Amino acid sequence: MYICDHDYDARSVTAVGCTDCSLLVFNEAGARSLPSIMLPGKPACVRVQGSLVLAATNTGALYLWNVQKKQCLIKNEQISGIVPVKGMIRLTV
């Protein structure tokens, strides 16, 4: 089981969140844009917009990367306190 998102407008980045808590990011040619990223929990939500990849885990951790700059913008920011119902996460970049 995995979660995948792709920016169909930009056609530049595809992100795949796996049940082993890893996040894989690929470019338009299918090559890895970033090394495999290990998250502290299983990805509950993965979104891509342009060169930005956003992931939220089932433990309530939020991450945001700029793939083009190979830079992590938000790392392990806890959102579990602001999500009213467990499993009800809806995020947009």
Side-chain angles (χ1 to χ4, degrees), residues 9-31:
D9 294 331
R11 297 189 189 277
S12 59
V13 175
T14 299
V16 180
C18 304
T19 56
D20 67 354
C21 301
S22 65
L23 181 74
L24 309 174
V25 181
F26 301 94
N27 64 19
E28 64 277 358

PDB file of all heavy atoms in Angstrom, residues 9-31:
ATOM      1  N   ASP A   9       0.075  19.521 -13.797  1.00  0.00           N
ATOM      2  CA  ASP A   9       0.330  20.758 -14.535  1.00  0.00           C
ATOM      3  C   ASP A   9       1.812  20.931 -14.820  1.00  0.00           C
ATOM      4  O   ASP A   9       2.212  21.226 -15.934  1.00  0.00           O
ATOM      5  CB  ASP A   9      -0.200  21.967 -13.764  1.00  0.00           C
ATOM      6  CG  ASP A   9      -1.712  21.960 -13.645  1.00  0.00           C
ATOM      7  OD1 ASP A   9      -2.371  21.407 -14.548  1.00  0.00           O
ATOM      8  OD2 ASP A   9      -2.228  22.479 -12.656  1.00  0.00           O
ATOM      9  N   ALA A  10       2.644  20.735 -13.802  1.00  0.00           N
ATOM     10  CA  ALA A  10       4.080  20.941 -13.964  1.00  0.00           C
ATOM     11  C   ALA A  10       4.770  19.722 -14.578  1.00  0.00           C
ATOM     12  O   ALA A  10       5.769  19.849 -15.261  1.00  0.00           O
ATOM     13  CB  ALA A  10       4.721  21.262 -12.615  1.00  0.00           C
ATOM     14  N   ARG A  11       4.215  18.515 -14.328  1.00  0.00           N
ATOM     15  CA  ARG A  11       4.778  17.262 -14.825  1.00  0.00           C
ATOM     16  C   ARG A  11       6.260  17.117 -14.485  1.00  0.00           C
ATOM     17  O   ARG A  11       7.047  16.617 -15.274  1.00  0.00           O
ATOM     18  CB  ARG A  11       4.586  17.125 -16.330  1.00  0.00           C
ATOM     19  CG  ARG A  11       3.143  17.077 -16.730  1.00  0.00           C
ATOM     20  CD  ARG A  11       2.993  16.718 -18.183  1.00  0.00           C
ATOM     21  NE  ARG A  11       1.632  16.874 -18.625  1.00  0.00           N
ATOM     22  CZ  ARG A  11       0.676  15.975 -18.460  1.00  0.00           C
ATOM     23  NH1 ARG A  11       0.931  14.857 -17.858  1.00  0.00           N
ATOM     24  NH2 ARG A  11      -0.543  16.208 -18.884  1.00  0.00           N
ATOM     25  N   SER A  12       6.625  17.575 -13.302  1.00  0.00           N
ATOM     26  CA  SER A  12       8.042  17.533 -12.970  1.00  0.00           C
ATOM     27  C   SER A  12       8.382  16.635 -11.792  1.00  0.00           C
ATOM     28  O   SER A  12       9.480  16.103 -11.737  1.00  0.00           O
ATOM     29  CB  SER A  12       8.549  18.942 -12.675  1.00  0.00           C
ATOM     30  OG  SER A  12       7.816  19.492 -11.601  1.00  0.00           O
ATOM     31  N   VAL A  13       7.466  16.437 -10.850  1.00  0.00           N
ATOM     32  CA  VAL A  13       7.777  15.698  -9.637  1.00  0.00           C
ATOM     33  C   VAL A  13       6.654  14.721  -9.323  1.00  0.00           C
ATOM     34  O   VAL A  13       5.476  15.062  -9.423  1.00  0.00           O
ATOM     35  CB  VAL A  13       7.971  16.663  -8.437  1.00  0.00           C
ATOM     36  CG1 VAL A  13       8.174  15.897  -7.151  1.00  0.00           C
ATOM     37  CG2 VAL A  13       9.140  17.599  -8.677  1.00  0.00           C
ATOM     38  N   THR A  14       7.040  13.507  -8.925  1.00  0.00           N
ATOM     39  CA  THR A  14       6.101  12.518  -8.413  1.00  0.00           C
ATOM     40  C   THR A  14       6.620  12.066  -7.060  1.00  0.00           C
ATOM     41  O   THR A  14       7.810  11.796  -6.908  1.00  0.00           O
ATOM     42  CB  THR A  14       5.999  11.296  -9.348  1.00  0.00           C
ATOM     43  OG1 THR A  14       5.524  11.735 -10.626  1.00  0.00           O
ATOM     44  CG2 THR A  14       5.042  10.255  -8.799  1.00  0.00           C
ATOM     45  N   ALA A  15       5.735  12.017  -6.060  1.00  0.00           N
ATOM     46  CA  ALA A  15       6.116  11.585  -4.716  1.00  0.00           C
ATOM     47  C   ALA A  15       5.303  10.359  -4.337  1.00  0.00           C
ATOM     48  O   ALA A  15       4.101  10.295  -4.606  1.00  0.00           O
ATOM     49  CB  ALA A  15       5.890  12.700  -3.713  1.00  0.00           C
ATOM     50  N   VAL A  16       5.969   9.409  -3.709  1.00  0.00           N
ATOM     51  CA  VAL A  16       5.332   8.167  -3.287  1.00  0.00           C
ATOM     52  C   VAL A  16       5.629   7.947  -1.812  1.00  0.00           C
ATOM     53  O   VAL A  16       6.787   7.874  -1.414  1.00  0.00           O
ATOM     54  CB  VAL A  16       5.860   6.960  -4.104  1.00  0.00           C
ATOM     55  CG1 VAL A  16       5.188   5.676  -3.650  1.00  0.00           C
ATOM     56  CG2 VAL A  16       5.661   7.189  -5.593  1.00  0.00           C
ATOM     57  N   GLY A  17       4.584   7.861  -1.007  1.00  0.00           N
ATOM     58  CA  GLY A  17       4.718   7.535   0.408  1.00  0.00           C
ATOM     59  C   GLY A  17       4.421   6.062   0.602  1.00  0.00           C
ATOM     60  O   GLY A  17       3.386   5.577   0.159  1.00  0.00           O
ATOM     61  N   CYS A  18       5.319   5.339   1.254  1.00  0.00           N
ATOM     62  CA  CYS A  18       5.211   3.880   1.390  1.00  0.00           C
ATOM     63  C   CYS A  18       4.888   3.480   2.821  1.00  0.00           C
ATOM     64  O   CYS A  18       5.156   4.220   3.762  1.00  0.00           O
ATOM     65  CB  CYS A  18       6.517   3.227   0.955  1.00  0.00           C
ATOM     66  SG  CYS A  18       7.017   3.673  -0.723  1.00  0.00           S
ATOM     67  N   THR A  19       4.338   2.270   2.978  1.00  0.00           N
ATOM     68  CA  THR A  19       3.950   1.791   4.300  1.00  0.00           C
ATOM     69  C   THR A  19       5.142   1.498   5.209  1.00  0.00           C
ATOM     70  O   THR A  19       4.961   1.345   6.410  1.00  0.00           O
ATOM     71  CB  THR A  19       3.071   0.523   4.202  1.00  0.00           C
ATOM     72  OG1 THR A  19       3.771  -0.460   3.464  1.00  0.00           O
ATOM     73  CG2 THR A  19       1.749   0.830   3.548  1.00  0.00           C
ATOM     74  N   ASP A  20       6.340   1.454   4.657  1.00  0.00           N
ATOM     75  CA  ASP A  20       7.527   1.279   5.498  1.00  0.00           C
ATOM     76  C   ASP A  20       8.023   2.619   6.039  1.00  0.00           C
ATOM     77  O   ASP A  20       9.137   2.727   6.528  1.00  0.00           O
ATOM     78  CB  ASP A  20       8.642   0.555   4.748  1.00  0.00           C
ATOM     79  CG  ASP A  20       9.221   1.366   3.594  1.00  0.00           C
ATOM     80  OD1 ASP A  20       8.695   2.450   3.281  1.00  0.00           O
ATOM     81  OD2 ASP A  20      10.207   0.904   2.991  1.00  0.00           O
ATOM     82  N   CYS A  21       7.190   3.662   5.946  1.00  0.00           N
ATOM     83  CA  CYS A  21       7.450   5.024   6.437  1.00  0.00           C
ATOM     84  C   CYS A  21       8.453   5.786   5.568  1.00  0.00           C
ATOM     85  O   CYS A  21       8.996   6.801   5.994  1.00  0.00           O
ATOM     86  CB  CYS A  21       7.916   5.027   7.890  1.00  0.00           C
ATOM     87  SG  CYS A  21       6.740   4.289   9.023  1.00  0.00           S
ATOM     88  N   SER A  22       8.696   5.331   4.363  1.00  0.00           N
ATOM     89  CA  SER A  22       9.614   6.052   3.479  1.00  0.00           C
ATOM     90  C   SER A  22       8.838   6.912   2.489  1.00  0.00           C
ATOM     91  O   SER A  22       7.674   6.656   2.198  1.00  0.00           O
ATOM     92  CB  SER A  22      10.520   5.081   2.720  1.00  0.00           C
ATOM     93  OG  SER A  22       9.768   4.274   1.850  1.00  0.00           O
ATOM     94  N   LEU A  23       9.498   7.950   2.015  1.00  0.00           N
ATOM     95  CA  LEU A  23       8.956   8.828   0.988  1.00  0.00           C
ATOM     96  C   LEU A  23       9.962   8.861  -0.148  1.00  0.00           C
ATOM     97  O   LEU A  23      11.150   9.126   0.064  1.00  0.00           O
ATOM     98  CB  LEU A  23       8.731  10.245   1.529  1.00  0.00           C
ATOM     99  CG  LEU A  23       8.141  11.233   0.542  1.00  0.00           C
ATOM    100  CD1 LEU A  23       6.649  10.941   0.329  1.00  0.00           C
ATOM    101  CD2 LEU A  23       8.316  12.653   1.036  1.00  0.00           C
ATOM    102  N   LEU A  24       9.501   8.562  -1.360  1.00  0.00           N
ATOM    103  CA  LEU A  24      10.346   8.558  -2.539  1.00  0.00           C
ATOM    104  C   LEU A  24       9.895   9.674  -3.463  1.00  0.00           C
ATOM    105  O   LEU A  24       8.696   9.851  -3.681  1.00  0.00           O
ATOM    106  CB  LEU A  24      10.247   7.210  -3.252  1.00  0.00           C
ATOM    107  CG  LEU A  24      10.469   5.975  -2.389  1.00  0.00           C
ATOM    108  CD1 LEU A  24      10.200   4.715  -3.197  1.00  0.00           C
ATOM    109  CD2 LEU A  24      11.867   5.960  -1.824  1.00  0.00           C
ATOM    110  N   VAL A  25      10.847  10.422  -4.009  1.00  0.00           N
ATOM    111  CA  VAL A  25      10.542  11.546  -4.901  1.00  0.00           C
ATOM    112  C   VAL A  25      11.282  11.329  -6.212  1.00  0.00           C
ATOM    113  O   VAL A  25      12.501  11.139  -6.221  1.00  0.00           O
ATOM    114  CB  VAL A  25      10.958  12.892  -4.259  1.00  0.00           C
ATOM    115  CG1 VAL A  25      10.605  14.045  -5.173  1.00  0.00           C
ATOM    116  CG2 VAL A  25      10.283  13.069  -2.896  1.00  0.00           C
ATOM    117  N   PHE A  26      10.522  11.354  -7.314  1.00  0.00           N
ATOM    118  CA  PHE A  26      11.076  11.101  -8.643  1.00  0.00           C
ATOM    119  C   PHE A  26      10.880  12.316  -9.544  1.00  0.00           C
ATOM    120  O   PHE A  26       9.890  13.034  -9.421  1.00  0.00           O
ATOM    121  CB  PHE A  26      10.376   9.902  -9.288  1.00  0.00           C
ATOM    122  CG  PHE A  26      10.494   8.635  -8.492  1.00  0.00           C
ATOM    123  CD1 PHE A  26       9.511   8.259  -7.604  1.00  0.00           C
ATOM    124  CD2 PHE A  26      11.605   7.822  -8.642  1.00  0.00           C
ATOM    125  CE1 PHE A  26       9.615   7.095  -6.867  1.00  0.00           C
ATOM    126  CE2 PHE A  26      11.724   6.648  -7.911  1.00  0.00           C
ATOM    127  CZ  PHE A  26      10.720   6.289  -7.016  1.00  0.00           C
ATOM    128  N   ASN A  27      11.810  12.506 -10.497  1.00  0.00           N
ATOM    129  CA  ASN A  27      11.656  13.569 -11.490  1.00  0.00           C
ATOM    130  C   ASN A  27      10.888  13.038 -12.699  1.00  0.00           C
ATOM    131  O   ASN A  27      10.479  11.876 -12.722  1.00  0.00           O
ATOM    132  CB  ASN A  27      13.018  14.169 -11.887  1.00  0.00           C
ATOM    133  CG  ASN A  27      13.921  13.167 -12.580  1.00  0.00           C
ATOM    134  OD1 ASN A  27      13.492  12.144 -13.101  1.00  0.00           O
ATOM    135  ND2 ASN A  27      15.213  13.473 -12.598  1.00  0.00           N
ATOM    136  N   GLU A  28      10.710  13.869 -13.712  1.00  0.00           N
ATOM    137  CA  GLU A  28       9.912  13.496 -14.883  1.00  0.00           C
ATOM    138  C   GLU A  28      10.514  12.334 -15.670  1.00  0.00           C
ATOM    139  O   GLU A  28       9.825  11.619 -16.377  1.00  0.00           O
ATOM    140  CB  GLU A  28       9.693  14.692 -15.806  1.00  0.00           C
ATOM    141  CG  GLU A  28      10.946  15.257 -16.439  1.00  0.00           C
ATOM    142  CD  GLU A  28      11.716  16.233 -15.573  1.00  0.00           C
ATOM    143  OE1 GLU A  28      11.292  16.541 -14.449  1.00  0.00           O
ATOM    144  OE2 GLU A  28      12.783  16.693 -16.029  1.00  0.00           O
ATOM    145  N   ALA A  29      11.816  12.095 -15.524  1.00  0.00           N
ATOM    146  CA  ALA A  29      12.479  10.990 -16.221  1.00  0.00           C
ATOM    147  C   ALA A  29      12.429   9.688 -15.409  1.00  0.00           C
ATOM    148  O   ALA A  29      12.886   8.660 -15.880  1.00  0.00           O
ATOM    149  CB  ALA A  29      13.935  11.352 -16.511  1.00  0.00           C
ATOM    150  N   GLY A  30      11.890   9.745 -14.199  1.00  0.00           N
ATOM    151  CA  GLY A  30      11.800   8.561 -13.360  1.00  0.00           C
ATOM    152  C   GLY A  30      12.982   8.348 -12.444  1.00  0.00           C
ATOM    153  O   GLY A  30      13.037   7.367 -11.712  1.00  0.00           O
ATOM    154  N   ALA A  31      13.940   9.267 -12.455  1.00  0.00           N
ATOM    155  CA  ALA A  31      15.093   9.171 -11.562  1.00  0.00           C
ATOM    156  C   ALA A  31      14.744   9.800 -10.213  1.00  0.00           C
ATOM    157  O   ALA A  31      13.897  10.687 -10.130  1.00  0.00           O
ATOM    158  CB  ALA A  31      16.295   9.886 -12.172  1.00  0.00           C
TER     159      ALA A  31
END
